[in-house]
Amino acid sequence: MLNKLTKRTAALLGTALALMLSACDTTRAPSASTPTTDAVTTQARPKPTTTTGTKWVETFDRLDTSRWVVSSWGGFWQQSGLSGTFTPQNAAVNGKGQLVLTLKIEACAAGLCAQAGELQSQQRMGFGRYTYRMRAASTSSDPAVTGTAQPGNISGAFSYYQDSTTEIDVEIEGHRSSTLNAAVWKGLDTKSYAVLPTGSNLAQGFHDYTYEWRSGRITYYIDGVKVWETTQNVPQAAAHLMLNVWPTLTNAWGGEAKPGTVYMLVDSVTFEPF
């Protein structure tokens, strides 16, 4: 794992610089400024485990801590006017078969303070088909009730390992909730990405987000329909599964947060190895 005071610190500083530069760069696509290159902290990251080579299904009937680590650390979004943490109580099952990840934003002396939610898998997983059935963040925590998308957040489901040695992203912005941001990272400075309009409000219904990760290409699907494929910057190292919702403060990425609470719901996660 990374040395907390060297590579981790450098990554955080690099992320903060990237955010400041992206706010001034109107030519970059929204997904190019995502700070999820540093989404896993050394404080919360699980110890390495044997990579699974069998089918893996999670239906969230309970929060299985033999499978998942609930994140508890100071989030990577820290900046002037926005602070906060990933908070364990903001990742919980609802008794109806869904994981509920909560993002609560309040006014505070620093400007805005956020309590966000995140899970990461104990195991690392490699080439295969990954499907996340989820509803992007909205004002409703009830799977049967339609809520409203709010600016100022990112709903994420992705594979991640060590400084984005592997990172494969599904991300939905709060202020552009009809758009899927797909990104593939092979290290902190190497990525391919696509900004994909869907024609549906992804915060108002459950959808299946799938990526098929092979050694030479990654293919994305929404509800079984192919939407993007890349053969560039394909990572090779097995990675942890990540699920999170976290705050933003810029229209370049996620929108400007305001006090309030939103909920990202995950119905299931499936991994099928190739």
Side-chain angles (χ1 to χ4, degrees), residues 163-238:
D163 273 350
S164 298
T165 298
T166 291
E167 184 172 345
I168 306 170
D169 294 328
V170 169
E171 293 177 303
I172 300 163
E173 300 173 86
H175 71 327
R176 283 190 277 256
S177 59
S178 296
T179 299
L180 172 67
N181 294 278
V184 173
W185 300 75
K186 192 178 181 181
L188 289 171
D189 301 316
T190 308
K191 70 179 287 189
S192 301
Y193 68 91
V195 180
L196 304 166
T198 68
S200 299
N201 189 330
L202 305 177
Q204 293 190 340
F206 286 88
H207 296 274
D208 291 332
Y209 303 91
T210 299
Y211 50 79
E212 294 182 348
W213 175 19
R214 294 177 170 85
S215 61
R217 71 179 185 273
I218 296 176
T219 309
Y220 278 76
Y221 302 82
I222 300 177
D223 296 328
V225 177
K226 181 179 175 179
V227 293
W228 184 58
E229 182 172 272
T230 183
T231 58
Q232 298 180 341
N233 304 317
V234 177
Q236 302 296 304

Side-chain angles (χ1 to χ4, degrees), residues 11-96:
L12 284 171
L13 291 173
T15 298
L17 178 59
L19 281 169
M20 289 187 287
L21 291 174
S22 67
C24 299
D25 185 359
T26 58
T27 64
R28 296 176 70 185
S31 63
S33 62
T34 173
T36 56
T37 55
D38 196 33
V40 184
T41 176
T42 53
Q43 297 171 13
R45 182 183 295 141
K47 295 179 180 179
T49 60
T50 302
T51 303
T52 183
T54 58
K55 185 173 181 178
W56 193 92
V57 180
E58 178 59 78
T59 57
F60 295 111
D61 296 314
R62 64 188 182 93
L63 187 53
D64 186 350
T65 54
S66 69
R67 282 189 163 191
W68 298 100
V69 174
V70 181
S71 293
S72 176
W73 61 285
F76 49 82
W77 57 81
Q78 314 296 332
Q79 59 185 285
S80 177
L82 180 62
S83 60
T85 63
F86 281 114
T87 306
Q89 59 263 35
N90 284 23
V93 297
N94 62 3
K96 301 176 182 179

Side-chain angles (χ1 to χ4, degrees), residues 240-261:
H240 300 284
L241 296 181
M242 304 287 300
L243 300 164
N244 63 18
V245 61
W246 49 275
T248 60
L249 200 59
T250 171
N251 282 322
W253 181 242
E256 295 186 9
K258 296 179 180 179
T261 304

